[in-house]
Amino acid sequence: GPSSLEAPDLYYIGVNVGKDRIKAQEWYRKAAEQGNISAQYNLASLDFGDKSQLSRDEKCRWLTSAANMGHVEAQYRLGVGYKEGIDLVADHAAAVHWFTKAAEADHDMAQLNLGRMYELGESVAQDKVEACRWYRRSAEQGNARAKAVLSTVYLSEHASLRNPAEGLRLLREAAEMGDCQAQFRLGLEFRLGDNGLEVDLGRAMVWLRKAADQGHADAQCFVGQCFRDGQGVDLDVEQAAAWFRKAAEQGMAEAQFHLGQILNSQSLSVGPRASPEAVKWIRMAAEQGYALAQCGLAELHLNGDGGEMDLKESAAWIRKAAAQGLPVAVHTMAMMLYSGIGLSQDRPEAVRLIAQLMEREHAATKDKDMTEYVRGESHAFMAQALLTGQDVAMDVRAGMRHLRLAAELHHALSQTRLGGLYLVGEGVPQDSRKGITWLRRAAAQGDPMAEASKKLEFAAGSDGLGRMVGKALLEAVRGDAEAQC
């Protein structure tokens, strides 16, 4: 109770005496000078007001004195100060020393921080096993963050430490204790169905929302995506924009881009140009180096959607995005080089860039940025170049392979072209039925030239008619393909 408080505590808190921090500091100093370690710690740690704050050197002297005398919290505070450079010159070796002292006295946060230093090899030999030992000791004391961090190790690909069942148990415990990073990660586990969990978009949304409600920017962005795509919740673009905005205002580039895209779509649905706010958010993301936003900003400048058309600015942003290897940006840059729109015409360089994308395709099939659209357009481009011998040596066999791949990737013009080739028997055995099938697939996507397939049922039964129709169709398709390139 209050009667057990020492004089400096009474003055600092204001129990039975008037609250007087200057007088409290005087009493703390007297006790500290007599070797009272609690007074030394309080003298270094408490806020005595702007006019009577201790200097950094004096704070460090009293904190170090208390730590040397075994004050565990002082040892931990010194560890943090040396690690982060807070009121002290950063010194990771000193941080390890003081964290170890406090960790050995069962200070859970010191154990967590010491584990991190062993995991990262900061002024100690990197040792994941030793890191786990300290994480485990902290977790056993109920530290939610330590449980979350330890779960990350158990769910990693590190063979000797991997333990998915234990990792998920700790992750769930940390999430239930309110750790927002654990809540976010548990939401992702349910969203992706990793580590033995079944995909459950509803439960994923529950945990992502808990983390988002605590201000976790990544979670807010994911919640926005869930509302935008209708995953685990009813599709709601307004809710999506609201959550993207929360993360965007925290400076998250991905959320800024998604918010800009939604606002852009909304403004273009009612007028000819993107709203200034849409352009603002996309530009903010682009200036942070977010490649999709750089590509989006390039498109706005190319089409004049954000104001006047500016080909130079469009080319500058597409170069930035392409330099990061974003497939859609590389493809767009290649088309600009091929056409000479926005960039000086350089068709061989355009072909080289598309060929590089094709080389990456197999390795990039798991890369969400290597979209079906980019793959289809790139195969169609290479098919046109190889089948006509434009800017590359003609290679009908390779061209047909690219054309078929483009068609299978739902590239409508390629489907129409392949249908025409089957009708004619050029590059493939003549087969009117296959020709009609490919034309039907193109027509289903709205390709106007393929619409004629609906009226060409008779061609399947007459090779002569099929060839005649196919030749006319191919002439039109080749002209369209050249124009698109």
Side-chain angles (χ1 to χ4, degrees), residues 40 62-72 74-75 78 98 101:
Q40 291 174 351
W62 287 118
L63 201 60
T64 302
S65 177
N68 280 325
M69 293 172 69
H71 194 288
V72 177
Q75 293 169 343
L78 278 176
W98 289 113
K101 291 276 189 186

Side-chain angles (χ1 to χ4, degrees), residues 295-454:
C295 196
L297 192 57
E299 184 179 355
L300 288 174
H301 284 298
L302 182 63
N303 298 331
D305 290 339
E308 295 300 319
M309 182 184 293
D310 190 333
L311 297 180
K312 185 177 179 180
E313 190 74 0
S314 177
W317 283 111
I318 208 65
R319 280 189 183 278
K320 289 178 184 289
Q324 295 190 60
L326 183 68
V328 67
V330 174
H331 177 268
T332 302
M333 183 174 168
M335 295 303 98
M336 293 173 79
L337 286 166
Y338 195 85
S339 65
I341 297 175
L343 293 169
S344 298
Q345 191 172 55
D346 188 341
R347 289 190 168 189
E349 177 63 7
V351 173
R352 187 188 70 80
L353 288 174
I354 296 297
Q356 280 187 342
L357 277 183
M358 295 295 88
E359 290 172 3
R360 290 173 53 188
E361 183 186 21
H362 180 69
T365 50
K366 296 180 181 178
D367 181 352
K368 63 182 176 62
D369 292 331
M370 193 69 169
T371 61
E372 183 178 283
Y373 168 79
V374 172
R375 293 166 64 204
E377 289 288 336
S378 299
H379 280 298
F381 178 90
M382 290 304 298
Q384 172 69 7
L386 291 164
L387 290 173
T388 60
Q390 292 179 344
D391 306 298
V392 292
M394 183 180 289
D395 186 334
V396 174
R397 185 175 180 180
M400 289 300 300
R401 181 175 64 84
H402 282 291
L403 183 65
R404 187 177 296 278
L405 287 169
E408 290 172 351
L409 288 163
H410 311 292
H411 188 271
L413 186 60
S414 296
Q415 292 173 336
T416 301
R417 187 172 191 176
L418 187 57
L421 289 171
Y422 270 114
L423 290 176
V424 173
E426 183 180 316
V428 290
Q430 199 280 333
D431 189 328
S432 295
R433 292 186 181 279
K434 284 187 178 180
I436 292 296
T437 298
W438 280 112
L439 290 171
R440 284 177 175 279
R441 291 176 67 175
Q445 296 190 74
D447 185 74
M449 285 182 285
E451 287 288 338
S453 69
K454 295 178 180 177

Side-chain angles (χ1 to χ4, degrees), residues 19-63:
K19 192 172 184 178
D20 189 334
R21 292 191 174 185
I22 294 176
K23 193 171 290 264
Q25 188 185 70
E26 292 174 1
W27 280 101
Y28 278 129
R29 190 182 298 280
K30 287 179 182 179
E33 289 170 349
Q34 293 175 31
N36 184 300
I37 61 173
S38 292
Q40 291 174 351
Y41 175 76
N42 287 332
L43 192 59
S45 305
L46 296 177
D47 179 8
F48 296 104
D50 294 338
K51 293 183 179 180
S52 55
Q53 283 286 59
L54 274 65
S55 68
R56 288 176 58 176
D57 288 345
E58 193 173 5
K59 282 183 179 181
C60 181
R61 179 167 64 84
W62 287 118
L63 201 60

Side-chain angles (χ1 to χ4, degrees), residues 256-257 260-261 264 278-286 293 296-297 300:
Q256 291 170 343
F257 171 65
Q261 289 289 84
N264 182 37
V279 177
K280 178 194 78 170
W281 285 114
I282 294 173
R283 182 176 293 279
M284 286 175 68
L297 192 57
L300 288 174

Side-chain angles (χ1 to χ4, degrees), residues 179-199:
D179 185 277
C180 65
Q181 182 65 15
Q183 292 169 340
F184 170 65
R185 286 180 45 228
L186 186 56
L188 292 187
E189 293 287 341
F190 279 116
R191 181 181 170 95
L192 301 174
D194 284 344
N195 296 301
L197 285 180
E198 292 185 8
V199 172

